[in-house]
Amino acid sequence: MRAQFVAREVSHGLRRNLTMTLAVIITVAVSLGLFGGALLLRAQVTTMKDFWYDKVEVSLFLCGKGSDTASCAGGAVTKAQRDQIKSDLEGLKPLVEEIYYESQAEAYQHFQEQFKNSPIADNVRESALPESFRVKLSDPTKYEVVASAFAGRPGVEQVNDQRQILDKFFKLLGGLQAIALAIALTMLVVTVLLIVNTMRVAAFSRRRETSIMRLVGASNFYIQLPFLLEAAFAAGVGALAAIGALVLTKAVLVDSIVAPSFQFTSFVGWDAVITIAPILFITGIVLSGLAAFFTLRKYLRV
Amino acid sequence: MILFDHVTKLYANQERPALDDVSLEIEKGEFVFLVGPSGSGKSTFLRLILREERPTKGAVWVAGKELGHLSNWKIPYFRRQIGTVFQDFRLLPNKTVAENVAFALEVIGKPKAHINKVVPEVLEVVGLEGKEHRRPDELSGGEQQRVAIARAFVNRPMLLIADEPTGNLDPGTSVGIMQLLDRLNRLGTTVVMSTHDSNIVDQMRRRVIELEGGHVVRDQSRGVYGYAQ
Ligand SMILES: Nc1ncnc2c1ncn2[C@@H]1O[C@H](COP(=O)(O)OP(=O)(O)O)[C@@H](O)[C@H]1O
Ligand SMILES: [Mg+2]
């Protein structure tokens, strides 16, 4: 009986306020969709960091004949200097995970491979490319430890961290994510305001019913429940739409459009979508429930 | 049943209290008329009994409870013991007679079987058998008020509060409503009703409490309306 009564009231209410209900559904869908997009972008950045930080290395370029930095004043690096650098790097274990020495000949060879079809390859001579130590760190964020130990040391021309280049890119993605998040939060505020207003209109349009309910001794819970369920229902539908958009983004935009063109990096997996979906749903329901509850407390007092 | 103990009610932003130091008692089973000119405090008196308002000073007791100490969540359960009827009927226009009465039971969570049993019973008590499926706009004023009384009575309250129940009705119809209220009173329900209508009060010869400017100026068993002090 109770369930039947409440279901009837909710469906009546939803139909009576159809335009408002639609407005709530749409704003919830848009705001949660943006929110989900921001979370997905963050997951993407995390995935890319994991992928790339695993591959980036710190390069110690050694002085060659033509080097003109202060640390290369003594001319090309000597064997003693090179051996000292190598053993010092080994002393930095376990931070230093792998050390790989690249001679000028190897550097030249790599260069030729990299720019196979480009005229640059023909213009570079072997002696112009420096020999180097390529170092892989167990924790790429601790780059400074290596930099401070070797930068400026005689025989080392330059210490170069690939991560810094990547970080510029990640900062850009982070900025995009922050903008998406800011828009999403603004939209969520709009959504809350809209729900507050919808509840006010709903409470007003049903003031006759609610005043009779109060009169005959219906409990507050019973009076408010149909309104709360209406808000939760609209928010739930909106959240499902947002989740649908998220799934589409992953399946179509990421997997079918972007990923095939950028095969050198990895993209967010379905696990991110599976984590974000319930967050969106719960955020939608809880937010609308709270907005409705506090509005009704004011407008449906005993 | 009802006890007013030095009750004063001063509404916010009002200089003169709507009720001023009112003390009186109404026994179980009584039928009480509340008379007095418009603005004398009748509705305020009734709203205090329903705990729709709280007294500014003093205490109101109903059914052994001091309403000032009734916590908010208990108010609905308290109101289930009281039936209320108003001048403007307060029916739901898009529900039938039977649905309007059933609504009062649905919203306090009564089981469907119980509702199906008691609604026809009470409609018979108020003389509306055969009109269960009409809507309020297909009924006369007197019939609409009978629906409202059926709704107030369906839960068999111990107390019936009626604020000018005949105020919108012609004299002939009013008599019928008064006979109905009298019958419910004889079934054991305490009735407190406010009215302007001197004929009714004179005919019924029940207890009369007269208010004027928030003061009780007369409290007389078996009174008539216009009886000069
Ligand atoms: N909600 C209210 N707020 C302020 N003043 C009110 C309110 N209700 C009634 N009053 C005032 O209290 C006095 C008594 O009103 P009321 O109890 O309605 O009298 P009656 O029902 O006898 O006409 C009047 O002066 C009225 O203006
Ligand atoms: Mg009045």
Side-chain angles (χ1 to χ4, degrees):
Chain A
M1 186 63 234
R2 285 157 181 260
Q4 202 183 329
F5 169 77
V6 171
R8 196 183 69 203
E9 289 294 305
V10 171
S11 81
H12 271 189
L14 286 172
R15 270 178 286 149
R16 180 163 16 193
N17 277 330
L18 196 59
T19 48
M20 287 293 247
T21 306
L22 278 177
V24 171
I25 290 175
I26 292 168
T27 45
V28 168
V30 171
S31 55
L32 286 183
L34 275 169
F35 187 48
L39 292 182
L40 198 66
L41 194 55
R42 192 174 72 168
Q44 174 63 32
V45 169
T46 310
T47 309
M48 285 168 93
K49 276 184 180 164
D50 286 349
F51 180 82
W52 283 104
Y53 283 178
D54 220 35
K55 298 191 168 38
V56 295
E57 0 171 83
V58 175
S59 306
L60 279 71
F61 293 104
L62 306 181
C63 298
K65 283 200 194 81
S67 305
D68 52 5
T69 59
S71 57
C72 293
V77 63
T78 64
K79 182 172 186 313
Q81 283 172 335
R82 190 186 303 125
D83 290 345
Q84 185 60 42
I85 291 168
K86 180 148 199 266
S87 74
D88 285 354
L89 277 173
E90 264 154 10
L92 283 176
K93 279 178 179 167
L95 173 63
V96 169
E97 240 176 23
E98 276 174 48
I99 306 165
Y100 166 72
Y101 171 73
E102 190 181 71
S103 66
Q104 283 190 313
E106 284 163 330
Y108 183 72
Q109 206 181 326
H110 285 152
F111 192 88
Q112 293 297 333
E113 274 166 26
Q114 230 174 344
F115 297 95
K116 222 184 299 178
N117 304 315
S118 155
I120 308 174
D122 305 331
N123 294 332
V124 168
R125 280 172 300 117
E126 189 178 312
S127 59
L129 294 170
E131 56 186 296
S132 62
F133 282 107
R134 301 298 169 102
V135 178
K136 200 146 147 35
L137 301 181
S138 57
D139 178 358
T141 58
K142 296 237 171 75
Y143 154 77
E144 278 304 325
V145 177
V146 179
S148 64
F150 295 97
R153 176 201 277 232
V156 176
E157 184 183 1
Q158 197 186 0
V159 181
N160 199 337
D161 183 17
Q162 292 181 337
R163 204 179 79 100
Q164 285 179 332
I165 304 161
L166 276 180
D167 277 351
K168 276 186 194 142
F169 176 62
F170 287 142
K171 263 202 194 111
L172 180 74
L173 286 183
L176 280 178
Q177 182 207 336
I179 292 169
L181 211 55
I183 298 174
L185 289 180
T186 314
M187 283 297 298
L188 283 176
V189 171
V190 172
T191 307
V192 167
L193 294 178
L194 188 68
I195 290 171
V196 165
N197 203 43
T198 306
M199 286 296 110
R200 247 170 24 193
V201 171
F204 183 76
S205 72
R206 259 179 285 172
R207 64 195 182 287
R208 217 185 247 274
E209 278 91 340
T210 48
S211 82
I212 292 169
M213 286 169 101
R214 275 170 6 101
L215 216 60
V216 300
S219 61
N220 275 341
F221 177 74
Y222 227 74
I223 295 176
Q224 296 183 4
L225 191 63
F227 294 95
L228 289 177
L229 289 179
E230 259 174 67
F233 176 84
V237 172
L240 287 180
I243 291 168
L246 193 70
V247 168
L248 274 180
T249 306
K250 161 69 180 149
V252 177
L253 187 68
V254 175
D255 287 357
S256 313
I257 298 176
V258 180
S261 343
F262 296 91
Q263 283 176 346
F264 56 85
T265 186
S266 66
F267 285 90
V268 276
W270 283 104
D271 54 329
V273 176
I274 289 166
T275 321
I276 294 170
I279 296 177
L280 295 187
F281 196 76
I282 291 166
T283 306
I285 299 278
V286 167
L287 217 59
S288 70
L290 285 179
F293 179 74
F294 284 107
T295 316
L296 293 173
R297 246 168 53 123
K298 199 170 153 206
Y299 287 88
L300 299 178
R301 222 174 309 185
V302 277
Chain B
M1 171 64 64
I2 299 170
L3 179 70
F4 273 57
D5 185 13
H6 295 285
V7 172
T8 296
K9 174 66 191 177
L10 180 64
Y11 287 106
N13 309 321
Q14 297 273 308
E15 289 187 2
R16 203 176 54 81
L19 285 180
D20 196 357
D21 195 26
V22 170
S23 292
L24 57 83
E25 188 171 359
I26 294 171
E27 301 285 344
K28 194 170 185 321
E30 271 196 281
F31 193 119
V32 178
F33 284 113
L34 205 57
V35 302
S38 184
S40 57
K42 305 185 293 297
S43 296
T44 301
F45 185 92
L46 298 179
R47 281 206 292 272
L48 285 166
I49 296 174
L50 289 168
R51 178 56 167 76
E52 287 201 37
E53 297 287 350
R54 288 161 175 261
T56 315
K57 263 190 258 163
V60 177
W61 293 71
V62 177
K65 288 188 199 78
E66 206 269 279
L67 300 189
H69 287 113
L70 198 63
S71 48
N72 272 336
W73 68 270
K74 279 187 181 160
I75 294 172
Y77 302 94
F78 164 73
R79 289 196 185 132
R80 289 177 196 184
Q81 306 170 283
I82 306 176
T84 36
V85 179
F86 296 92
Q87 182 172 0
D88 56 1
F89 318 137
R90 302 202 187 169
L91 301 176
L92 296 173
N94 50 355
K95 287 191 193 294
T96 66
V97 168
E99 285 167 353
N100 263 286
V101 178
F103 185 75
L105 295 170
E106 285 171 345
V107 300
I108 58 173
K110 292 282 184 193
K112 192 167 190 139
H114 172 76
I115 295 176
N116 289 341
K117 180 170 161 292
V118 298
V119 170
E121 279 174 13
V122 78
L123 286 177
E124 197 183 323
V125 170
V126 302
L128 283 175
E129 58 275 63
K131 297 185 175 154
E132 296 86 348
H133 302 300
R134 299 228 193 140
R135 284 175 199 281
D137 59 7
E138 300 165 342
L139 298 173
S140 71
E143 287 169 335
Q144 289 186 49
Q145 193 59 296
R146 282 171 194 270
V147 179
I149 292 171
R151 184 181 63 198
F153 192 66
V154 69
N155 211 19
R156 304 285 156 151
M158 51 171 200
L159 174 62
L160 196 66
I161 301 288
D163 196 354
E164 311 210 18
T166 60
N168 276 344
L169 305 175
D170 60 66
T173 313
S174 299
V175 171
I177 294 296
M178 289 316 301
Q179 283 168 346
L180 175 56
L181 290 177
D182 186 49
R183 202 150 101 246
L184 300 183
N185 176 240
R186 284 175 205 279
L187 289 172
T189 316
T190 309
V191 178
V192 182
M193 96 167 238
S194 71
T195 186
H196 268 114
D197 190 337
S198 52
N199 287 332
I200 286 174
V201 178
D202 295 347
Q203 279 164 15
M204 297 276 291
R205 299 234 153 208
R206 299 295 194 115
R207 179 176 172 190
V208 174
I209 297 167
E210 183 170 351
L211 290 171
E212 213 179 281
H215 297 276
V216 177
V217 295
R218 177 165 65 127
D219 185 352
Q220 189 175 38
S221 53
R222 300 189 167 276
V224 292
Y225 191 96
Y227 192 84
Q229 281 282 317

